[in-house]
């Protein structure tokens, strides 16, 4: 026995960090398109959502409330959809107090990590393309260590999903509070709530919470069944991540247009 051999090196010496190729990559396709599009769309969302969250107006149009402002927990809130817990300074938008939950979930989401590590930090920008950073420390130390809080952001986001579903159900009332109304806004809020549930339930942490740390699936048939269903959703997590991002922005924009009087709600009954 001559000692442990490092896998892949063949002679016991540490493997080279990268193949000794002078070119930064050998790809001939337009690999930069995807990170560029991702960066553009994410930036557009960040700009739009920040503007709306700080605007502190036009987020309620009876009976609809924008998802950026729900749950609305200060006494200064427009509308009356959720218990108001405290009186904040009027110049602070109610959206600011709750932003940390959806933002925390998306910022630590495994799919979005892939998207923004590639498109913003170029780490790496694409498969088989070298990155500009010299060292890689991963998520084992600050600041990226915070990514490990993802499952707690998920727990909180599930509570938010219940509240946004409740908001969508309130969309079946009319301006006077009578039930039996349905408008385009009701459908917009319902679709948004459904997509948020699909996004959360297809989460990698959710899959692990449901089916992880089990030695024998046969001894946990219910968890196995749930894990099987969530695994199916999990394969489409990236799709749900984008669709729910768009649906939140569309639902907010619809309420904004109603609240400013730019359009009126399309009534079905
Ligand atoms: Fe995307 Fe959990 S992995 S929300």
């Amino acid at each position: 026995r001559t000692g442990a051999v490092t896998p892949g090196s063949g002679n016991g010496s540490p493997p080279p960090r990268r193949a000794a190729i002078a070119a930064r990559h050998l790809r001939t396709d337009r690999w930069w398109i995807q990170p560029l599009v991702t960066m553009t769309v994410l930036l557009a969302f960040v700009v739009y959502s920040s503007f709306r969250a700080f605007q502190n107006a036009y987020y309620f149009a009876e009976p609809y409330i924008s998802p950026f402002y729900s749950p609305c927990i200060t006494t200064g809130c427009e509308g009356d959809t959720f218990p108001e817990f405290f009186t904040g300074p009027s110049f602070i938008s109610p959206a600011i107090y709750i932003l940390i939950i959806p933002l925390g979930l998306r910022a630590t989401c495994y799919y979005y990590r892939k998207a923004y590590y590639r498109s913003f930090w170029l780490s790496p920008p694409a498969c088989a393309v070298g990155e500009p950073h010299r060292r890689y420390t991963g998520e084992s130390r600050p600041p990226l260590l915070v990514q490990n809080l993802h499952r707690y952001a998920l727990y909180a986001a599930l509570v938010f999903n219940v509240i946004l579903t409740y908001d969508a159900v309130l969309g079946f009332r009319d301006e006077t509070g009578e039930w039996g109304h349905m408008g385009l806004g009701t459908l917009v809020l319902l679709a948004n709530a459904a997509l948020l549930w699909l996004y959360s339930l297809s989460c990698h942490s959710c899959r692990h919470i449901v089916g992880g740390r089990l030695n024998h699936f046969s001894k946990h048939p219910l968890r196995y069944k749930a894990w099987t269903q969530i695994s199916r959703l999990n394969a489409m997590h990236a799709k749900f991540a984008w669709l729910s991002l768009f649906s939140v922005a569309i639902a907010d924009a619809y309420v904004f247009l109603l609240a400013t009087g730019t359009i009126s709600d399309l009534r079905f009954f």
Side-chain angles (χ1 to χ4, degrees), residues 105 109-111 150 154 199 203-205 237:
L105 182 74
C109 165
Y110 289 86
Y111 168 69
H150 182 63
L154 173 70
Y199 173 54
C203 164
H204 298 274
S205 286
H237 187 60

Side-chain angles (χ1 to χ4, degrees), residues 185-209:
T186 318
L187 296 184
V188 168
L189 293 191
L190 276 177
N192 180 49
L195 285 167
L196 287 173
W197 276 112
L198 288 169
Y199 173 54
S200 308
L201 293 176
S202 63
C203 164
H204 298 274
S205 286
C206 180
R207 183 168 176 260
H208 183 258
I209 292 162

